[in-house]
Structure formats: C-alpha cells, structure tokens
C-alpha cells in the first residue's frame, strides 16, 4: 500500500516527472496479461493495475539477499574451553555449526538447504557467518557476527528459513543481540542475469527523486552521517560536479545510458570484464581517488586501448581500477 501511495501515477497517461525514468522498464508491464477477477470493477485505476502487474512479475523475476549484523554477548558460552582455536575463522565456523544444528531440526518444513557455512566460497548458495568491521559489540566476552543469507526468492520457503534463522540466533548458547552499530541490509537483484542498463538508470532516477523521503522513513539518526550511508545524490553530484542541480543530475544519467547504448558489444564487454589501456602517469594521478585499497576515477580520463590498435577510449568517473 505504501508503494502505491508513493508512486500513484505509474502507467497513467500523465506520469510524474520522477516516473519518466521508468518508461523503459514499463514495456514489460504492458506485455503482462491483466490479472483476472474484478480488478476494474473495484474501481482500480490503470496506474494501480500497472503497479500490481509489475509486482506480480517482480516476485518471479527478482532475487533478494540479506545481511544480519549482530554480536554474541558471551563467546565463552559457545566455546568449549578445552577446544584449541587457531584463528578467528574457526570461531565463525563454530557459530555456523551451532546455527546449522538449530535450524536443521526443522528441515522437514523446507525443501531448501538449511546448512550454515563460514566459507566465503558458499556465498550465494548457503547462509554464511562472517566478520563485519562496523559492529561494536557489548558484553564481557563479545564476538561480532554478520550472517549473510543465501540468494533467496520471494517465496514461503525462504521466508520460513529466514524466520527460523533469526529465532536460532536468539536462543542459547548464541543469544545474539543488537545495538545502534548493527543493521539489516537488504539487497535486491535479478537472478540469473541482472537488470538492463535502462532499468538501472530508471531505478537510480526514481531513487534520487525520493531519497530524502526514504531516509526520513528508514535511516536512523545515528546512521544519517555515517560514511556507509552517504546520500547517493550527494556522492553522484560531487563526482559529476553538479551539486545542487537535480535536473542536470538526471540528465547526466540519461546521457550515460545513451552512451552505453551506442557502445559495441566488444566495448561493453571490456567495461564489464576490464580492459588493457595506457595513460600518462600525470593524467592518472590527477584522475584517481583512493579509498583504502580501492581506487576509483574521480573524473573521466582518456586512454589508449591497447587491444584495438591504440584507439582512444574514454573511461568514465567512478570506474574501479585494479
């Protein structure tokens, strides 16, 4: 209901300016058969029917991933004091083992795997226990844990597993707790594959339009100036030198989409997989922005594509270099 109130004009003959960005993503909606029943007799507008059709298809096409941040107040309750532990990874393996034991008791309720792992190789396939540097645990012998879900869909099986997993976290000997440093992160994607360039641009533009409202509803005061929760509008505007000008920011996204659409399949592949190019040291240093061990372009830079006979290639701002 909240979504239908926020986006009242999707699919209508006079969409809001924020919805202009979604025109490209509404093509699939138009091809979806209208739901059976008495939707029209209930007085639903074309706009609302379009939202409902998109929602019905979205549940089938979208995937979801969760990150649950928490901490164990007393790690000693989990570890046998006679058990030697060589490194911290073994502690996460113990947490995963305890969770698996708890949720496997109800395995008959679910046809999906209920094992929990501490191996990064299992990300996406199984629920995994791992580290998170942003958690500030409390207690006499606390241990921070981030529980990363497997790739899930919007069905009852995965919802049931999520509920059982959170219940198991609360039980002894784990007794997981939360505070202002912990959070729940939700990742929406499409699997297999990913969103098209046009769909990504539509999502960006709609999010930019409603970001302040989303922050007011969802973002705690303690996270509002957190470096992990910076306003997307602010980050993008600074990267493009368009601070305070929303219309130019949205136009920049449209221009980027058009540029990508004009790329040949080879160039698109190079942007995704990486390319080999040369550039002067001076140009590179002025274009780079370093954050820890990660380097990104803070401004566009022209390079010579070594795999295409020295043809000039423009690398956009925000591109990660490795």
């Amino acid at each position: 209901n909240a979504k239908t109130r926020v986006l009242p004009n999707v699919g209508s003959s006079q969409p809001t300016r924020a919805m202009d960005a979604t025109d490209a993503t509404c093509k699939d909606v138009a091809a979806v058969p209208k739901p059976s029943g008495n939707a029209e007799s209930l007085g639903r507008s074309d706009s609302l029917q379009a939202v409902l059709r998109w929602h019905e298809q979205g549940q089938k096409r979208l995937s979801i991933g969760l990150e649950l941040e928490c901490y164990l107040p007393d790690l000693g309750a989990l570890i046998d004091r006679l058990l030697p532990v060589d490194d911290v990874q073994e502690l996460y393996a113990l947490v995963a083992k305890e969770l698996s034991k708890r949720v496997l008791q109800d395995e008959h309720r679910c046809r999906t795997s209920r094992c929990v792992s501490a191996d990064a190789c299992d990300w996406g396939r199984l629920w995994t226990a791992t580290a998170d540097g942003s958690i500030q645990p409390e207690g006499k012998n606390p241990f921070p844990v981030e529980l990363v879900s497997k790739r899930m869909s919007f069905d009852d099986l995965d919802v049931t597993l999520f509920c059982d997993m959170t219940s198991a976290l609360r039980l002894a000997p784990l007794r997981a707790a939360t505070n202002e440093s912990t959070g729940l992160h939700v990742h929406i994607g499409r699997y297999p594959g990913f969103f098209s360039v046009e769909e990504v641009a539509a999502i960006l533009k709609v999010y930019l339009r409603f970001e302040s409202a989303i922050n007011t509803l969802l973002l705690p005061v303690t996270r509002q100036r957190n470096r992990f929760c910076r306003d997307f509008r602010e980050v993008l505007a600074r990267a493009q030198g368009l601070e305070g000008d929303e219309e130019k920011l949205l136009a920049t996204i449209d221009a980027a989409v058009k540029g990508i659409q004009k790329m040949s399949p080879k160039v698109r592949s190079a942007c995704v997989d990486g390319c080999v190019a040369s550039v002067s040291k001076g140009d590179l240093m002025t274009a780079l922005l370093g954050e820890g061990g990660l380097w990104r372009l803070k401004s566009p830079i022209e390079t010579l594509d070594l795999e295409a006979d020295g043809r000039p290639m423009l690398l956009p701002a925000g591109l990660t270099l490795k």
Side-chain angles (χ1 to χ4, degrees):
N1 291 339
K3 289 184 179 179
T4 59
R5 288 196 298 270
V6 173
L7 309 177
N9 294 322
V10 178
S12 66
S13 58
Q14 295 181 336
T16 61
R17 297 187 67 179
M19 289 299 98
D20 290 343
T22 64
D23 289 345
T25 63
C26 288
K27 294 178 181 178
D28 292 338
V29 173
V32 178
K34 291 186 177 181
S36 59
N38 58 347
E40 295 188 19
S41 64
L42 292 176
R44 290 176 176 169
S45 65
D46 291 341
S47 165
L48 180 54
Q49 291 183 54
V51 170
L52 294 175
R53 293 197 298 273
W54 186 90
H55 183 264
E56 180 182 351
Q57 289 298 306
Q59 285 190 318
K60 299 176 182 178
R61 300 162 61 190
L62 298 180
S63 60
I64 183 171
L66 303 174
E67 296 176 11
L68 285 73
E69 297 175 352
C70 61
Y71 63 90
L72 312 185
D74 183 10
L75 186 59
L78 177 65
I79 300 178
D80 186 335
R81 298 190 183 279
L82 300 178
L83 179 68
V85 177
D86 294 329
D87 57 49
V88 69
Q89 189 60 31
E90 292 187 24
L91 297 179
Y92 291 111
L94 287 173
V95 173
K97 181 179 179 181
E98 182 64 32
L99 279 172
S100 294
K101 182 171 67 175
R102 294 288 180 179
V103 298
L104 283 172
Q105 294 175 357
D106 296 319
E107 191 169 19
H108 64 280
R109 298 169 56 188
C110 190
R111 294 192 299 272
T112 187
S113 175
R114 286 180 157 248
C115 291
V116 182
S117 172
D119 191 338
C121 295
D122 290 324
W123 281 18
R125 189 176 67 87
L126 299 175
W127 283 73
T128 55
T130 186
D132 186 287
S134 68
I135 302 174
Q136 301 173 11
E138 303 169 355
K140 62 179 181 180
N141 187 21
F143 185 63
V145 177
E146 178 177 84
L147 195 62
V148 182
S149 78
K150 72 183 189 70
R151 187 186 301 108
M152 302 187 298
S153 57
F154 292 83
D155 61 31
D156 292 341
L157 297 179
D158 284 328
V159 171
T160 299
L161 179 55
F162 166 69
C163 294
D164 290 346
M165 200 71 67
T166 54
S167 296
L169 276 170
R170 292 288 189 180
L171 297 174
L174 298 177
R175 301 190 186 280
T178 58
N179 57 23
E180 290 185 348
S181 72
T182 59
L184 170 64
H185 302 160
V186 181
H187 301 265
I188 302 295
R190 179 179 294 171
Y191 182 81
F194 193 63
F195 300 104
S196 68
V197 172
E198 293 78 11
E199 287 172 327
V200 171
I203 293 169
L204 293 181
K205 293 177 71 174
V206 173
Y207 184 82
L208 282 171
R209 183 71 76 179
F210 295 107
E211 184 173 28
S212 60
I214 293 172
N215 288 347
T216 300
L217 292 171
L218 300 180
L219 196 60
V221 175
T222 55
R223 292 287 182 109
Q224 287 183 3
R225 303 308 301 173
N226 188 292
R227 66 189 180 97
F228 297 110
C229 302
R230 295 167 61 192
D231 280 2
F232 179 65
R233 175 191 301 272
E234 176 185 331
V235 173
L236 194 58
R238 285 184 178 179
Q240 298 295 327
L242 299 171
E243 297 175 68
D245 195 329
E246 181 177 283
E247 295 306 319
K248 287 186 178 180
L249 195 58
L250 298 179
T252 299
I253 296 176
D254 289 335
V257 172
K258 291 180 181 178
I260 295 173
Q261 290 172 335
K262 293 178 181 178
M263 289 181 178
S264 66
K266 179 181 178 181
V267 174
R268 281 201 186 198
S269 178
C271 289
V272 173
D273 301 330
C275 56
V276 179
S278 65
V279 65
S280 70
K281 182 178 180 180
D283 289 342
L284 181 61
M285 294 306 295
T286 57
L288 281 178
L289 173 66
E291 298 179 1
L294 183 66
W295 293 89
R296 296 182 185 275
L297 290 181
K298 63 180 179 180
S299 60
I301 185 173
E302 187 172 283
T303 68
L304 294 179
D305 186 355
L306 300 183
E307 296 179 343
D309 302 323
R311 183 180 59 189
M313 177 184 293
L314 183 67
L315 302 182
L319 198 68
T320 302
L321 300 184
K322 61 180 180 178

